[in-house]
Amino acid sequence: MAETAQADTGEAGAGKQPRSVRVVLLALMIAMMLAMLDNMIIGTAMPTIVGELGGLEHLSWVVTAYTLATAASTPLWGKLGDMYGRKGSFMTSIVIFLAGSALSGMAQDMGQLIGFRAVQGLGAGGLMVGVMAIIGDLIPPRERGKYQGMMAGVMALAMIGGPLVGGTITDHWGWRWSFYINLPLGAIALVAVSAVLHLPKKRSQARIDYLGAALLTVGITAIVLVTTWGGTEYAWTSARIMELTGIGVAALVGFVFWQTRAAEPIVPLHIFRSRNFTLMSVIGFIVGFVMFGATLFLPLYQQSVQGASATNSGLLLLPMLGAMLVTSMVAGRVTTNTGRYKIFPVLGGALMTVGLFLLSTMDTDTTRFTSGLYMAVVGLGMGCLMQITMLVAQNSVEMKDMGVASSSTTLFRTLGSSFGVAIMGALFNHRVQDVMAERAGALGSKVTESSAQLDAASLAKLPEAAREAYQHAVSSGTHGAFLLGAAVAVLALVASVFVKEVPLKGAGPQAADAPADGEDGASAKTPVTETV
């Protein structure tokens, strides 16, 4: 029996998805959760892992290897899906992710764990891109808004549940199950996608752009290493950071030059001719910059200044994540019902800027209720932006470029998170060390000489004077970090003002208003047929 997964009229207009499509969407959400949950779970298991495997000096590479592999492979997965079909590339990424998870769970030393985490990251790069691109194939842009709440919910669940799940698994089953837990969930997603998803098969005669892939990989790797090592492993002005910066810039310039000549470019530069796509890439970068910086420094502030436990600090993020979830659902429904969306990027940019500025005003006397209100404002802003950026980006390209559009938007958000954590982290650390030296003298400098971030156990051991100085230092550090975040968020607001509102294609009368080829919207497409 052949049925249309989502036609431009008909079922989409009725607002009801075939049961098979709903099963696929559930599998896609599981895959998306795997990609987002992994680092959250592993973070809480790391002390136990180091205790058993040793290699404390290489600890950061457990996360860095995964992040690098994910960022470098993201554009490749998008292009492979466009050339050879989404289903095959997505299932391959799931298999690679599960293989990396199993191998990581069996690692016998830190070197093996780092290598297997890189394998896991290669698969993770295809999970997020595959989810977004397949949804782009199955669901017309006009209808996609309804699923924003689902994706935002998965994101919130990963951020809140990750540390809790990681701690529980490590305490009761051992750290290896932090990786093994991916296997049954991934298997469910794999079986569901294999059995139910049937997209038209593609077979491109063009060769893969290996030179472009190599240049892009080198460029992304160098830039991510600069943001990861700068100010921590090496000084920002050190020779190693300068070398990596030079290599990264040269590789990316070479990549852009080569993409104008490649027969089948990894990232076709013509997609950036769309003003909306370029603006969504900028906004996505800023959202990544702000979101990951906020989720890093808010728990630190809550633990160090407000006295929250590690577990409670995760739960105290609920105002931000809950607001993000609710706003994302409302934005999705309004977008689906009206076909209009420009108000949400503009409103999101404004709310995010105001919320981050409010967070920058927190000090040692700020109550949890007050900080919760400030976080909710930031969450409202991010909820207006999180999924709208992907939705508008996909609506701005032709169907044949859906994969590279999804992967490019995801890549910009990933790079934004790397820059956000690095730059906000450097500003935070510098400020904490300065304030500690001012308030606690030599003792303060000694306390923070190795790291400006202390865990709860280390903080409890400090003399009272040093502990109070540290609380003031953390408050000052978060002030600087969030003030920077607010300044960056202004750019998202400015970019949103220039977004051109192109009605989203799909069911309903607005479909007729969709722009023709060559405009900011993608051209009208034939429906995707699914065989059940």
Side-chain angles (χ1 to χ4, degrees):
M1 169 184 172
E3 74 177 341
T4 301
Q6 189 62 282
D8 286 344
T9 58
E11 276 187 295
K16 185 174 182 179
Q17 295 295 334
R19 182 178 63 84
S20 55
V21 175
R22 293 198 296 271
V23 172
V24 170
L25 288 172
L26 177 61
L28 295 179
M29 293 304 105
I30 292 174
M32 181 177 174
M33 185 170 68
L34 287 175
M36 296 200 62
L37 199 60
D38 197 73
N39 270 339
M40 299 288 180
I41 288 180
I42 300 309
T44 55
M46 282 312 300
T48 306
I49 294 174
V50 171
E52 181 174 327
L53 299 183
L56 178 62
E57 66 276 13
H58 303 303
L59 175 65
S60 63
W61 273 103
V62 175
V63 175
T64 302
Y66 181 90
T67 305
L68 277 176
T70 301
S73 64
T74 292
L76 306 183
W77 285 114
K79 188 61 180 180
L80 289 172
D82 284 342
M83 292 176 65
Y84 301 110
R86 309 253 186 264
K87 181 178 178 179
S89 62
F90 184 58
M91 291 179 65
T92 301
S93 69
I94 294 177
V95 170
I96 293 174
F97 180 83
L98 295 182
S101 298
L103 291 170
S104 295
M106 294 185 287
Q108 299 301 306
D109 58 49
M110 191 61 78
Q112 289 182 10
L113 180 60
I114 291 169
F116 296 148
R117 283 281 285 167
V119 174
Q120 200 181 15
L122 287 175
L127 293 183
M128 287 293 288
V129 173
V131 168
M132 298 301 179
I134 290 173
I135 288 177
D137 275 351
L138 289 181
I139 314 295
R142 178 71 180 272
E143 297 296 310
R144 263 174 242 159
K146 291 189 296 187
Y147 302 96
Q148 287 181 206
M150 189 186 300
M151 289 185 277
V154 169
M155 202 169 294
L157 182 63
M159 290 180 177
I160 296 172
L164 299 175
V165 172
T168 302
I169 289 176
T170 302
D171 290 341
H172 293 88
W173 297 349
W175 67 266
R176 296 182 186 276
W177 277 97
S178 297
F179 297 104
Y180 292 151
I181 195 67
N182 293 329
L183 302 182
L185 292 174
I188 292 171
L190 195 61
V191 170
V193 169
S194 175
V196 181
L197 179 65
H198 298 281
L199 295 173
K201 292 186 177 180
K202 302 177 184 178
R203 187 65 188 177
S204 175
Q205 299 301 316
R207 296 181 60 188
I208 297 174
D209 179 15
Y210 291 107
L211 178 57
L215 288 170
L216 183 60
T217 300
V218 170
I220 291 174
T221 300
I223 296 302
V224 172
L225 285 177
V226 167
T227 58
T228 303
W229 284 347
T232 53
E233 298 286 329
Y234 303 96
W236 286 104
T237 55
S238 66
R240 179 61 56 87
I241 295 299
M242 292 295 104
E243 289 168 2
L244 286 170
T245 302
I247 292 171
V249 171
L252 292 178
V253 170
F255 170 76
V256 172
F257 175 78
W258 176 248
Q259 293 306 280
T260 63
R261 286 162 168 71
E264 195 66 42
I266 295 291
V267 180
L269 299 184
H270 66 80
I271 63 177
F272 291 97
R273 293 174 189 163
S274 164
R275 180 173 72 187
N276 276 6
F277 182 83
T278 302
L279 290 172
M280 288 304 115
S281 298
V282 172
I283 294 172
F285 179 93
I286 294 169
V287 169
F289 188 105
V290 168
M291 185 178 72
F292 285 91
T295 53
L296 174 65
F297 294 109
L298 279 172
L300 181 62
Y301 171 84
Q302 290 163 337
Q303 291 178 53
S304 301
V305 180
Q306 295 183 329
S309 67
T311 301
N312 285 342
S313 67
L315 294 175
L316 288 172
L317 291 176
L318 273 172
M320 182 175 73
L321 300 174
M324 184 178 75
L325 173 59
V326 171
T327 312
S328 187
M329 293 176 67
V330 171
R333 284 292 175 182
V334 172
T335 301
T336 296
N337 292 336
T338 65
R340 303 292 176 176
Y341 51 80
K342 180 172 179 176
I343 183 62
F344 295 111
V346 174
L347 186 61
L351 286 171
M352 198 164 63
T353 302
V354 171
L356 286 164
F357 177 77
L358 291 173
L359 287 177
S360 75
T361 65
M362 295 189 305
D363 55 28
T364 54
D365 297 322
T366 303
T367 65
R368 291 184 184 181
F369 177 78
T370 302
S371 60
L373 287 178
Y374 296 167
M375 282 188 276
V377 177
V378 176
L380 291 173
M382 290 196 295
C384 290
L385 293 169
M386 285 297 296
Q387 304 306 329
I388 287 290
T389 53
M390 181 65 71
L391 177 63
V392 177
Q394 290 180 337
N395 194 56
S396 303
V397 300
E398 296 182 16
M399 188 66 78
K400 67 183 179 65
D401 293 323
M402 186 68 71
V404 293
S406 302
S407 63
S408 297
T409 306
T410 303
L411 176 63
F412 277 106
R413 187 177 296 177
T414 302
L415 292 177
S417 67
S418 294
F419 275 84
V421 169
I423 297 174
M424 293 172 77
L427 186 63
F428 173 86
N429 289 341
H430 180 72
R431 188 59 188 154
V432 168
Q433 290 169 353
D434 283 352
V435 173
M436 283 295 285
E438 290 173 8
R439 285 182 169 264
L443 176 60
S445 299
K446 184 177 181 180
V447 166
T448 58
E449 63 185 3
S450 58
S451 173
Q453 301 178 28
L454 303 179
D455 56 27
S458 301
L459 194 58
K461 296 176 183 177
L462 293 178
E464 184 176 350
R467 186 163 57 249
E468 289 181 359
Y470 184 71
Q471 290 174 337
H472 283 281
V474 168
S475 177
S476 179
T478 51
H479 166 76
F482 288 129
L483 198 58
L484 172 65
V488 172
V490 170
L491 300 178
L493 175 59
V494 173
S496 299
V497 171
F498 291 97
V499 171
K500 178 183 178 183
E501 187 157 60
V502 178
L504 300 175
K505 294 173 300 302
Q510 281 83 353
D513 299 329
D517 280 341
E519 297 186 36
D520 273 303
S523 61
K525 299 297 179 294
T526 56
V528 177
T529 299
E530 179 180 2
T531 303
V532 180

